[in-house]
């Protein structure tokens, strides 16, 4: 495929490439595509498949928690040696928890979310023909796909998948003989993550390069939609944080395979002390959480950007506090690198250091609160259209508030000592990051489905999907707060062995049935998604009456996005319901000369010539009124 040359004035030489597009084979168009739109769809469908797998794994271990002393012959039929007698093997239970967490955090909420919407929207909304490096973009997807295959292949090795938890703390992850899940499955986990991180770094470099170098004429930084700001800063986070995890993983491989002891010291197995000494498992925690906490924002910031765009469009109002929203994203990006220690309050760190991390953790709540207030202010007195995308966006804000409030408790070092590794952490984490990010991703899928597939997705099934999922998520995770306050630990195989925890078995049963209901709701989404992809109503060019540039491209995808010259940008992307305008939306490519009756002085802050012309026009209108 030829290199795309994008000129600074918005004109691209695409004729040769467009001709090449007609000569593409099935392989080059659908499999090894270098078109950002196709790669976005590949990321999305792969992410959906991985999410379904993770959901099935969660239902399996939830059944164990709900009915810890009951055998299910079907489980032995499905899982064989991993469920002898119809009950989950204890080590396989830990593997299910580990792989569920790994898939959701990395393969769905990181690659599935950022990979889909960064690829789809960055060239579209910036006015670019494609990514800065289409070939690297293709490699990014295929490295992600290979990582997914390797991770899933660990279910077919003799001792099963990795089992030390998705955080893979040593010594369980560093000693192949520690437990069955520390063997070949753990090795495959590490190899998979190396491929995954390579994918994320290639994608991040591409996203940053495209945002900085390939904006169309008139698209300065302050005219970019909040989606692009979110994707850009997320890519910066990933580029700085993921290499640290690579370092931690490589040292872990050394400890596992080459006899080093970066993380091992004074280890005893079956009564015999190993020769490893001098290492520290706390070192791994520092390396892991230096990525792990920016990773929380790598997951949530793209969802924030998507929700901001969907809310402004469907409230028919300008986003409230655009500049504050951008600065809060920048603040989150910077602060996320100095809060990782709040995951380590119980490691025995110096209390003064714990106090420092506690303060920075509470400070990072400020930009998050700014965003929350701005979303609520955008909704306030808006002419709201309750599309499925809008409902999922409002659901995102709900989860972000309810889950974020519990973060204040966990951010306090003193309280965290009591709540650490209990179900309170599970509830907080799954609401503020898991459920919120999933809802942001689903809002994006429903909103940009017409742009991805050229068809409308069914609204009735979309409403059913939202309400069942929204109610189900709260029914699953809200009771866990009370379990955590009572000291119920997470990752336990059965609570019937401990007298004080037996009272919570009935709650676990309730939570499991709520989780099954939520899982069934996803069937409605899958049916709706794949049916609409092929048989949905044909979409129009701009079905939501939005302002951003992607809605100026043809419904039928062409390589290069625009058949002729790329539109020039004149205004910010949130001119909704502007007083004096003929319609309640004014797309970014509409010149101010065509909207004289709705222009305002602040529209020309960076354009003194335009401001002078506007003042002259206003004075002329006043003179005409006086003459009349």
């Amino acid at each position: 495929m030829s290199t795309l040359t994008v000129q600074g004035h918005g004109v691209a030489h695409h004729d040769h490439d467009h001709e090449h597009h007609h000569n593409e084979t099935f392989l080059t168009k659908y499999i090894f595509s270098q078109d950002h739109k196709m790669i976005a769809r590949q990321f999305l469908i792969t992410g959906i498949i991985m999410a379904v797998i993770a959901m099935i794994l969660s239902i399996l271990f939830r059944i164990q928690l709900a009915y810890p002393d009951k055998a299910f012959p079907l489980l032995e039929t499905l899982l064989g040696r991993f469920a002898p007698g119809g009950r989950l093997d204890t080590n396989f239970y830990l593997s299910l928890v580990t792989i569920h967490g790994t898939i959701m955090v990395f393969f769905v909420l990181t690659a599935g979310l950022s990979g889909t919407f960064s690829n789809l929207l960055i060239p579209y909304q910036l006015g670019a023909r494609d990514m800065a490096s289409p070939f690297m973009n293709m490699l990014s997807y295929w490295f992600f796909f290979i990582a997914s295959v390797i991770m899933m292949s660990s279910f077919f090795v003799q001792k099963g998948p990795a089992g030390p938890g998705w955080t893979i703390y040593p010594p369980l992850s560093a000693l192949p003989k520690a437990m069955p899940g520390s063997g070949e499955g753990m090795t495959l986990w590490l190899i998979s993550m190396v491929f995954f991180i390579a994918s994320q770094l290639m994608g991040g470099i591409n996203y940053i390069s495209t945002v900085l170098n390939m904006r169309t004429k008139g698209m300065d930084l302050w005219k970019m939609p909040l989606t692009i700001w979110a994707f850009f800063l997320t890519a910066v986070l990933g580029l700085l944080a993921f290499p640290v995890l690579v370092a931690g993983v490589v040292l872990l491989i050394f400890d596992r395979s080459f006899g080093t002891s970066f993380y091992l010291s004074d280890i005893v197995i079956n009564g015999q002390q190993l020769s490893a000494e001098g290492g520290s498992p706390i070192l791994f925690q520092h390396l892991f959480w230096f990525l792990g906490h920016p990773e929380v924002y790598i997951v949530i910031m793209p969802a924030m950007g998507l929700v901001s765009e969907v809310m402004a469009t469907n409230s028919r109002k300008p986003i409230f506090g655009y500049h504050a929203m951008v600065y809060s994203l920048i603040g989150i990006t910077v602060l996320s690198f100095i809060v990782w220690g709040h995951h380590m309050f119980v490691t025995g760190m110096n209390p003064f250091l714990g106090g420092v991390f506690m303060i920075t953790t509470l400070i990072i709540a400020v930009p998050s609160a700014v965003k929350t207030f701005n979303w609520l202010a955008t909704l306030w007195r808006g002419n709201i259209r309750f599309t499925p995308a809008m409902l999922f966006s409002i659901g995102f804000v709900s989860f972000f508030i309810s889950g974020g409030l519990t973060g204040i408790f966990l951010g306090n070092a003193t309280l965290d000592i009591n709540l650490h590794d209990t179900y309170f952490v599970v509830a907080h984490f799954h609401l503020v990051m898991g459920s919120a990010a999933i809802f942001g991703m689903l809002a994006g899928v429903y909103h940009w489905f017409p742009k991805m597939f050229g068809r409308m997705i069914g609204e009735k099934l979309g409403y059913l999907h939202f309400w069942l999922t929204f109610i189900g998520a709260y029914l699953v995770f809200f009771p866990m707060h009370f379990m955590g306050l009572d000291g119920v630990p997470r990752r336990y195989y059965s609570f019937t062995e401990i007298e004080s925890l037996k009272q919570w078995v009935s709650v676990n049963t309730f939570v499991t049935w709520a989780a099954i209901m939520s899982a069934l709701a996803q069937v409605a989404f899958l049916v709706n998604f794949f049916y609409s992809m092929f048989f949905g109503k044909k979409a129009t060019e701009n079905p939501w009456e939005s302002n951003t540039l992607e809605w100026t491209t043809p419904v039928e995808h062409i390589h290069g996005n625009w058949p002729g010259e790329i539109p020039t940008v004149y205004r910010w992307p949130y001119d909704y319901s502007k007083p004096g305008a003929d319609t309640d939306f004014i797309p970014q490519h509409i010149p101010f000369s065509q909207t004289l009756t709705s222009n305002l002085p602040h529209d020309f802050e960076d354009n003194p010539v335009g401001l002078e012309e506007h003042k002259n026009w206003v004075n002329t209108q006043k003179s005409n009124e006086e003459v009349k």
Side-chain angles (χ1 to χ4, degrees), residues 6 13 20 68 148 152 179 202 220 240 319 356 462 518 527 623:
V6 180
H13 298 296
H20 180 83
S148 303
M152 290 301 98
M179 60 186 286
M202 284 188 284
D220 61 39
L240 296 175
I319 194 77
V356 171
S518 300
V527 170
S623 299

Side-chain angles (χ1 to χ4, degrees), residues 7 80 102 188 231 364 372 377 381 504 508:
Q7 306 297 333
T102 301
L188 289 171
F231 300 148
I364 203 172
T372 302
R381 302 188 72 176
W504 293 104
N508 261 325

Side-chain angles (χ1 to χ4, degrees), residues 462-501:
Y463 293 134
L464 177 69
H465 178 216
F466 167 77
W467 285 111
L468 289 179
T469 307
F470 182 72
I471 295 168
Y474 269 121
L475 291 179
V476 169
F477 299 117
F478 199 75
M480 292 183 184
H481 291 96
F482 301 100
M483 296 174 69
L485 290 170
D486 195 41
V488 179
R490 61 177 175 169
R491 296 190 180 128
Y492 272 39
Y493 174 78
S494 171
F495 295 130
T496 55
E497 307 293 326
I498 304 169
E499 191 64 33
S500 62
L501 301 182

